[in-house]
Amino acid sequence: MDLLVDFARTGRIGPLHCGMPLSEAEAFLGPGRPHPAIRMRGPDIDGYPYAWGGLELATTQRLVSEISIRLWPGSTTRLPPLLLPEPESCSSTVLREDLIAGLDAVGCGHDADDRLTFGQQSSILTRPAGVCAVFFPPDRDDHMSPREHHRLGVIYKHTA
């Protein structure tokens, strides 16, 4: 949870930040697993991610243009050991209420993100970092907690 709250507050994950060269990120993380479009069309294609478990970095002109952590509620998410050394994997079930409580505890402002709040999903945008967190309702067969508890599906920072 600390990693998610810090990312939401700062827009950074350790030394990773939007605008840095992909080569610097790979020097820190090791080579990422490129999206199939990158493998087919080459490394100069923009907008597709390189992945390190649940961490993804999308690029534009070989600079990091998006940092995201994808979570699969009810399972385990793996993150690079340099970002989350102990344990290397963590629970992917993060309740909306828990993330908001964590943000409030560190004084990180946040508002509903109207662009991504519709239907059953909801979203918040943090201030001033501009990190977006998107929450989804539980699946029909999810018996982990009451149906009204939304789970974090993705948290990301994107630059134009």
Side-chain angles (χ1 to χ4, degrees), residues 67-80:
I67 301 170
S68 63
I69 297 175
R70 298 204 180 272
L71 302 170
W72 293 269
S75 66
T76 301
T77 294
R78 293 184 56 80
L79 295 175

Side-chain angles (χ1 to χ4, degrees), residues 57-71:
L57 303 178
T59 59
T60 302
Q61 296 179 356
R62 307 211 58 157
L63 298 176
V64 174
S65 56
E66 181 175 289
I67 301 170
S68 63
I69 297 175
R70 298 204 180 272
L71 302 170

Side-chain angles (χ1 to χ4, degrees), residues 122-150:
S122 66
S123 177
I124 60 170
L125 192 61
T126 65
R127 296 184 313 269
V131 172
C132 182
V134 183
F135 304 90
F136 302 95
D139 293 333
R140 289 186 184 140
D141 56 349
D142 186 349
H143 302 290
M144 293 179 61
S145 66
R147 296 226 2 105
E148 62 271 4
H149 291 292
H150 281 67

Side-chain angles (χ1 to χ4, degrees), residues 18-104:
C18 289
M20 73 185 302
L22 177 62
S23 59
E24 283 182 28
E26 287 188 313
F28 177 72
L29 298 168
R33 182 177 38 87
H35 186 277
I38 296 169
R39 284 189 229 132
M40 290 185 336
R41 299 192 59 204
D44 292 328
I45 186 170
D46 290 342
Y48 292 93
Y50 290 79
W52 292 261
L55 174 71
E56 293 182 357
L57 303 178
T59 59
T60 302
Q61 296 179 356
R62 307 211 58 157
L63 298 176
V64 174
S65 56
E66 181 175 289
I67 301 170
S68 63
I69 297 175
R70 298 204 180 272
L71 302 170
W72 293 269
S75 66
T76 301
T77 294
R78 293 184 56 80
L79 295 175
L82 292 173
L83 298 180
L84 191 65
E86 302 217 12
E88 198 174 316
S89 55
C90 58
S91 170
S92 290
T93 303
V94 176
L95 298 179
R96 184 179 196 279
E97 295 81 10
D98 293 342
L99 182 60
I100 288 181
L103 296 175
D104 290 344

